[in-house]
Amino acid sequence: MSRQLKDLEAELQTALFIREQHHMTLTESGGIFQSRARQILSLINRASDEVKISNDELTGTLVIGCVESTISEALVNYIKAFR
């Protein structure tokens, strides 16, 4: 990992981290790069979700709750059948 970070710093011609003996902290440039990288990753995830939706694939999170143990057993069977 450290080789990849050093290669990235060389490509950008700037230090992204302040390296100390037992830890590293971001420089101002590193913070800017991190912020943009997170934005890019978020956009990639959104684009992926949009493509799946356009292909009629289900996406997202389904939360199901139940109280009775007999209902929960039946619910497990329904979920298995759904998959």
Side-chain angles (χ1 to χ4, degrees), residues 66-77:
C66 63
V67 178
E68 298 293 325
S69 61
T70 57
I71 294 174
S72 64
E73 187 175 323
L75 188 58
V76 168
N77 292 331

Side-chain angles (χ1 to χ4, degrees), residues 1-2 6-10 14 16 22-23 28 30 40 44-45 51 55 58-62 64-65 68 70 74 83:
M1 178 65 93
S2 64
K6 287 180 182 179
D7 289 347
L8 179 59
E9 288 176 322
T14 190
L16 299 174
H22 295 289
H23 68 281
E28 183 178 351
I40 291 166
I44 290 169
N45 289 332
V51 168
N55 290 329
L58 295 176
T59 62
T61 303
L62 173 65
I64 301 172
E68 298 293 325
T70 57
R83 286 187 170 180

